[in-house]
Amino acid sequence: MRCIHAFLIIFLFFSGQLNAQSMFGGTTRAVIIGVSEYENEGIDDLRFAHKDAEAFLEFLRSDAGGNVPPENIKFLVNKEAIHTNVELALNWLVKESNKGDKAIFYFSGHGAAENTTWRKAGFLLTYNSNPQLYQSTAFAIDYLKNNIETLSKKDVDVILISDACRAGKAEGSSISGAHEATSILQERFDREIKILSCQPDQVSHEGEMWGDG
């Protein structure tokens, strides 16, 4: 974790695109999610995921980030970031985005993959995720991929940012499970930019030594 500073540096490049394209039409919308607290004791809490989300929100509202208006941003942190709210926010992003628009999906929190099926489906863990019931309580990466592809087919420019690490003691939370989730996120579509906190063969960490927490 604590990769937000690298994200902001990279987004200085994207901000030029956001500002320049706004002059010729097109709207930028964003869904920003940061989960440091988890309801289930089987999932380790994080310390800085929600702060990373807050920093990214501030960036998008700044001149460098394109001055994205509040009504074009869905911001969910900790207890607000339950599975239902995340799904509703993504549905809003897909429904409201049109050709030439820009759609940003940012997630900071735990990522994991269940280990009971052959496919080992990947998930982003929401506040109310249950380690034993990922399919119904966590946010499926396959569902996210389907929505990204839908946006791409609508000729919407998509920016996906995932600052996800393994999920502590959760089911399927071994390093290999986190690698499964990252591998799924790496798959590309035509009109998409992805920024991931680590590669499938790497592990993402958080700590005060990066940006003072």
Side-chain angles (χ1 to χ4, degrees):
M1 307 286 283
R2 297 311 302 162
C3 295
I4 188 66
H5 300 291
F7 290 158
L8 297 187
I9 291 171
I10 294 172
F11 255 80
L12 290 176
F13 169 79
F14 293 139
S15 65
Q17 181 187 41
L18 292 172
N19 288 318
Q21 291 189 12
S22 65
M23 296 171 59
F24 303 99
T27 300
T28 298
R29 298 179 182 85
V31 171
I32 304 173
I33 301 160
V35 189
S36 294
E37 301 174 3
Y38 288 88
E39 184 177 43
N40 194 292
E41 294 182 356
I43 303 175
D44 290 339
D45 285 343
L46 295 167
R47 299 174 63 190
F48 308 119
H50 69 291
K51 291 185 178 180
D52 287 347
E54 291 168 355
F56 189 68
L57 173 66
E58 292 178 7
F59 170 72
L60 286 187
R61 289 178 173 176
S62 70
D63 291 341
N67 293 307
V68 181
E71 62 269 23
N72 286 357
I73 300 175
K74 299 293 184 183
F75 180 68
L76 303 171
V77 295
N78 294 331
K79 292 182 179 180
E80 297 174 344
I82 61 174
H83 178 275
T84 302
N85 287 346
V86 173
E87 185 171 344
L88 287 171
L90 186 58
N91 289 347
W92 163 84
L93 186 66
V94 173
K95 181 179 179 180
E96 295 298 322
S97 297
N98 298 299
K99 182 177 180 180
D101 288 344
K102 289 156 285 294
I104 301 171
F105 183 88
Y106 173 96
F107 176 86
S108 182
H110 279 311
E114 54 83 20
N115 58 12
T116 57
T117 65
W118 180 82
R119 285 195 63 208
K120 294 181 172 59
F123 297 89
L124 301 178
L125 303 193
T126 58
Y127 170 77
N128 60 331
S129 291
N130 185 325
Q132 306 301 321
L133 299 170
Y134 277 166
Q135 293 286 354
S136 58
T137 64
F139 195 74
I141 292 177
D142 277 343
Y143 183 73
L144 176 61
K145 286 172 54 186
N146 185 31
N147 281 273
I148 291 172
E149 185 173 25
T150 300
L151 287 165
S152 295
K153 296 296 184 183
K154 294 174 67 174
D155 289 332
V156 174
D157 293 316
V158 181
I159 299 173
L160 170 65
I161 303 174
S162 172
D163 186 8
C165 65
R166 65 188 181 90
K169 296 174 289 188
E171 180 72 17
S173 66
S174 65
I175 292 177
S176 61
H179 291 176
E180 292 283 352
T182 303
S183 295
I184 296 169
L185 284 169
Q186 279 192 320
E187 297 181 16
R188 297 190 59 85
F189 297 104
D190 291 340
R191 297 174 62 88
E192 173 192 347
I193 296 170
K194 288 185 178 178
I195 305 173
L196 307 180
S197 60
C198 61
Q199 298 296 316
D201 59 347
Q202 299 173 331
V203 178
S204 182
H205 297 280
E206 66 172 359
E208 293 182 353
M209 66 286 291
W210 298 295
D212 295 325

